[in-house]
Amino acid sequence: MAFITANMNMNTSLEKHGIVPDVLDHPITPTTLLKVDYGQNDVALGNLLNPQQTNEQPEIFFVAPEQDAYYTLIMTDPDAPSEQDKKFGPWRHWVVVNILGSDLKTVKSPENQHTPYIGPGPGKDTGTHRYVFLLYKQTKGKQQFEPMEHEQKEQRRLFKLRQFETDNHLELVTANFFCCPT
């Protein structure tokens, strides 16, 4: 009898939908699970949700691997402007920093909204977009993050995810994602 772990299930989904290698360089070893809740609609490793279901900032839940550590949450769309033409991806939809592991209410703290939430808005006939949530441990603890412009749509294009990870000493702990067909 085969034994399937959460780790195997997550990586199978990430690879099946091309999150590995389009967003992540390689499979991950998650140390927790990330629940993303849009009211009646949960994000579940590639399920289908539409823009109307996801236009409001979701609730975030996870059991922190380290309760006294700080975490960063990133939501990105690698398929901007379209599934076939990713010239603007990854698109930075949401960045929350300094989330205290023992107090998930800090996800909603205005001072932690590095990039305020903007819901999916794929253009008509642009194919299926993948919206990826990445949760990182901040290995240097609570910290100051360099501000990034986000008021104009153009400022959210071409998010340099790897550079952001390196510059801010982020260590990936888990991921989740949904797909949004147009």
Side-chain angles (χ1 to χ4, degrees):
M1 173 161 85
F3 182 69
I4 298 175
T5 65
N7 180 14
M8 292 165 56
N9 186 39
M10 181 180 293
N11 282 309
T12 297
S13 293
L14 293 171
E15 290 172 350
K16 175 184 173 189
H17 292 278
I19 305 302
V20 175
D22 290 353
V23 178
L24 303 172
D25 293 334
H26 48 76
I28 66 173
T29 304
T31 56
T32 190
L33 298 176
L34 177 62
K35 181 177 180 184
V36 181
D37 182 7
Y38 285 102
Q40 299 295 318
N41 302 292
D42 286 346
V43 172
L45 294 175
N47 61 321
L48 298 179
L49 296 174
N50 64 48
Q52 294 75 28
Q53 295 170 308
T54 57
N55 65 342
E56 299 292 327
Q57 180 177 309
E59 296 287 329
I60 301 296
F61 305 96
F62 64 94
V63 176
E66 296 176 41
Q67 293 290 303
D68 60 344
Y70 287 87
Y71 296 85
T72 291
L73 176 72
I74 296 173
M75 176 187 174
T76 185
D77 171 8
D79 303 313
S82 73
E83 186 176 18
Q84 297 76 27
D85 180 12
K86 303 172 189 327
K87 67 184 175 192
F88 298 144
W91 190 279
R92 180 171 37 105
H93 277 267
W94 192 26
V95 180
V96 185
V97 299
N98 293 322
I99 303 166
L100 180 58
S102 63
D103 185 6
L104 296 187
K105 289 181 279 183
T106 55
V107 170
K108 295 182 178 183
S109 298
E111 66 271 13
N112 293 347
Q113 303 299 312
H114 185 272
T115 301
Y117 183 82
I118 184 170
K124 184 178 178 185
D125 299 322
T126 59
T128 299
H129 288 243
R130 300 162 295 166
Y131 294 90
V132 184
F133 294 86
L134 304 168
L135 182 68
Y136 298 88
K137 177 184 170 191
Q138 297 172 196
T139 61
K140 300 281 185 176
K142 189 173 184 178
Q143 61 193 52
Q144 288 293 113
F145 285 77
E146 282 292 319
M148 293 191 303
E149 298 293 325
H150 57 263
E151 297 300 323
Q152 304 298 317
K153 287 183 179 182
E154 295 79 18
Q155 296 166 330
R156 292 177 181 246
R157 293 177 178 168
L158 300 169
F159 179 43
K160 293 180 174 73
L161 180 60
R162 296 288 167 266
Q163 181 178 341
F164 189 81
E165 291 170 340
T166 301
D167 291 351
N168 295 293
H169 311 281
L170 302 178
E171 179 181 284
L172 187 64
V173 296
T174 196
N176 203 343
F177 69 101
F178 67 92
C179 297
C180 184
T182 60

